[in-house]
Amino acid sequence: MKRTTIKDVAERAGVSTAAVSYVLNGREHKVSGDTLAKIQEAISELNYIPDYSARSLASKRSSLIGVVIPQTEDQKRLLLENPFYSDLICGIESELRQHGYHMLISGVDKGQSYLDLTMQRNLDGAVIMGIYQESFYDELKKVDIPIVLIDSYINDDHFKKIRIDDELGGYLATRHLIENGHVNIGLVTGMIRKDGVVEKRYLGYKRALQEANLFYDHDLVFEGQVSYEYGLEAGKQIAARGGGMTAAFVTSDMMAFGVINGLRQQGLQVPDDISVIGFDDISLAGIFHPNLTTVHQDIKARGIAAAKHLIEVLDGKENLDQGVTLQPISVIERETVRRMNEGKGV
Amino acid sequence: MKRTTIKDVAERAGVSTAAVSYVLNGREHKVSGDTLAKIQEAISELNYIPDYSARSLASKRSSLIGVVIPQTEDQKRLLLENPFYSDLICGIESELRQHGYHMLISGVDKGQSYLDLTMQRNLDGAVIMGIYQESFYDELKKVDIPIVLIDSYINDDHFKKIRIDDELGGYLATRHLIENGHVNIGLVTGMIRKDGVVEKRYLGYKRALQEANLFYDHDLVFEGQVSYEYGLEAGKQIAARGGGMTAAFVTSDMMAFGVINGLRQQGLQVPDDISVIGFDDISLAGIFHPNLTTVHQDIKARGIAAAKHLIEVLDGKENLDQGVTLQPISVIERETVRRMNEGKGV
DNA sequence: TTGTAGGCGTTATCAT
DNA sequence: ATGATAACGCCTACAA
């Protein structure tokens, strides 16, 4: 069957397409109450559904927001298996849909620019998660749409950044360990890259140690992939090494699960033998056994904040704040950190 | 700056827009090698990026695939926090992107039809997860695009169904328990609705019991929401009730985690006091402690299969198989089922 | 093989 | 307040 168009509606209502277009786009005030009524009636009678492709072509607005998610190493799949990202997506989608926007999720292949997709689909805005090469951001700047960066320390006012104070997080986590009487504190972390989230957490770790006059021992830092698998590996290594390490700050919850399981595979229990504190507070943290003590951040709120920002800019309400929004964090005490300063030696 | 259009490319190459359009759409054979070369050169020199909105308007094809994900009870957020769905999405996206399609993820509000979005965006196809009212599917049939239903027992050749044999899964799970010497076997499950996934698993459970001449005791079935929270609740209830139940078949891994933790909160250990077998084999099953014995299905493969089917239909390769594709399942033995028939009473 | 031109459904400008 | 009508960028008969 043929599609019902704005023209059909106009005819049925006995008005021009322009009038219909007005009421469709919330400019009812440009139309008399009489015609408004007729148009609305025609719309519902004909069950008219606008064609966004045509709208986008004519207006350059698509009501589409692009969301970029990091990929697995092999560039094949989205890192959506990491609950961190799915939580973020949840927040974004819910906010967008309530405001009439849709969400186009994709990964972006290495070395490729996101410009293509942006142009192809006339994206109205984008949320970028993960960290990319500088050239990627340069490309992004060529297109004139609002963009929110999640977890990025890029210093560029072209983008809005929404993140947490990762250095503080690392500091709080480590201090929590210290306050519980730990002295030999290890670090399990992803690759420490300049200006990356991981580096900040690492710096926080060092600051806490320093503040407590503890020696920073490079042998206690395990640097690898941000994944459950590497955590497992690190856990085994820690167990194998033996020695005095009594606690570890692990820079992501998924890794922390790996560490705990790795230790367990080697016969060490958390927190009895070694304490562990994670980072992110993904929903599993309270499900995993033992419940993971970790640095909490409200992930879904990040997603919502990102979407809200885009919507505000697109609605013309906000055009200024292209700075950084920091979201609050805090240590959540659960079951994986043992208090050392009350008897019962290791 | 002004957008580079197909016209610009045509001028630059000294040919007509039709020729350019041909090579853009893989009909190079309609063009001489000479012009082809000129066109390709012009495209890359001008850095031409086609406008999908215009393309969609003119051709009625959008290269967009809609993916519908169930929502939370309050209709506010996607059920993406359930790893089952994020895994599925991973599979779908990876396959789609490799074939030049993009993915539009959304939930669909209760009572609302998906027709709107389909029309608005000129979707080329859709993947529907979850179970909806019949009217929802009726709506869907009005639009003439290929649609894949995940986990649906709808009997309608208008749709392609990709799922597993849930009845068999329930049977295998329960039989596994029986083979390990369990006799009083409980069931923790979502709401048992006619023709739903959950009902099939429930029927498999009953069949296994019957086959083993075991009594089906309705008091041993705990029916609630498919969620970690309800699992927790059920676990507590099971512990509180005491009695002879030595094992439970839980119809989803996330629920199983809840059951295990609920039992634990009441001082019961899995599998020492009670055995548990789950369903789905989400990636967490091997991370959770104790590692969850469960019915394995390759979730990512489902997503890929769904996407593959759509692509094939859209490419005109396949137009026939609108039946059901069943994917293999099997019991994965891990640590949550105890063998009863070798000493050591409960 | 190549080019012309009408049309896709909407927006928005410009008269009326 | 309302109505023609020219874009928007692309596809695709149809003609050459």
Side-chain angles (χ1 to χ4, degrees), chain B residues 80-299:
Chain B
L80 216 53
E81 38 204 307
N82 186 330
F84 181 82
Y85 293 109
S86 27
D87 276 2
L88 224 30
I89 300 280
C90 282
I92 295 175
E93 201 270 348
S94 101
E95 192 65 22
L96 286 184
R97 185 148 42 99
Q98 286 175 38
H99 291 268
Y101 288 89
H102 293 142
M103 184 179 68
L104 197 60
I105 291 187
S106 75
V108 41
D109 290 318
K110 182 134 37 192
Q112 200 199 325
S113 95
Y114 193 57
L115 200 57
D116 297 18
L117 188 52
T118 311
M119 300 281 287
Q120 283 171 188
R121 300 283 183 193
N122 286 118
L123 298 185
D124 286 350
V127 179
I128 314 280
M129 311 178 185
I131 297 180
Y132 305 84
Q133 317 165 8
E134 201 158 334
S135 63
F136 177 77
Y137 298 97
D138 290 339
E139 285 283 332
L140 235 38
K141 283 160 73 174
K142 289 186 191 165
V143 64
D144 190 35
I145 59 172
I147 292 181
V148 177
L149 266 27
I150 302 274
D151 269 351
S152 170
Y153 279 85
I154 290 280
N155 188 14
D156 190 322
D157 278 348
H158 189 86
F159 306 111
K160 168 79 179 177
K161 280 82 57 185
I162 298 186
R163 54 176 168 79
I164 56 174
D165 186 338
D166 291 283
E167 197 274 346
L168 177 63
Y171 170 80
L172 290 176
T174 311
R175 202 183 65 182
H176 181 75
L177 260 15
I178 294 172
E179 284 172 354
N180 277 276
H182 293 276
V183 174
N184 290 302
I185 300 172
L187 176 72
V188 181
T189 174
M191 297 305 290
I192 299 174
R193 294 207 187 83
K194 179 107 183 66
D195 285 331
V197 167
V198 163
E199 189 207 20
K200 304 297 178 190
R201 296 180 187 176
Y202 162 73
L203 292 174
Y205 161 77
K206 280 172 72 167
R207 176 159 68 96
L209 290 183
Q210 191 173 351
E211 186 183 281
N213 289 315
L214 293 176
F215 181 61
Y216 166 73
D217 181 356
H218 193 67
D219 285 352
L220 296 187
V221 355
F222 296 78
E223 187 180 353
Q225 311 239 351
V226 183
S227 68
Y228 172 79
E229 286 71 24
Y230 177 70
L232 202 61
E233 178 58 30
K236 288 184 198 162
Q237 284 182 26
I238 291 173
R241 179 174 313 178
M245 192 191 300
T246 66
F249 164 39
V250 186
T251 60
S252 118
D253 286 352
M254 282 304 282
M255 285 178 95
F257 297 149
V259 170
I260 292 171
N261 282 352
L263 289 168
R264 183 151 41 205
Q265 284 182 19
Q266 305 298 314
L268 292 185
Q269 294 305 315
V270 173
D272 296 338
D273 298 311
I274 288 197
S275 294
V276 168
I277 186 169
F279 205 116
D280 285 345
D281 196 22
I282 59 181
S283 48
L284 267 44
I287 294 179
F288 189 82
H289 182 76
N291 284 191
L292 186 66
T293 294
T294 188
V295 177
H296 168 82
Q297 56 168 315
D298 191 336
I299 303 174

Side-chain angles (χ1 to χ4, degrees), chain A residues 6 21 25 48 51 55 58:
Chain A
I6 200 174
S21 182
N25 294 291
Y48 168 71
D51 183 327
R55 175 178 292 182

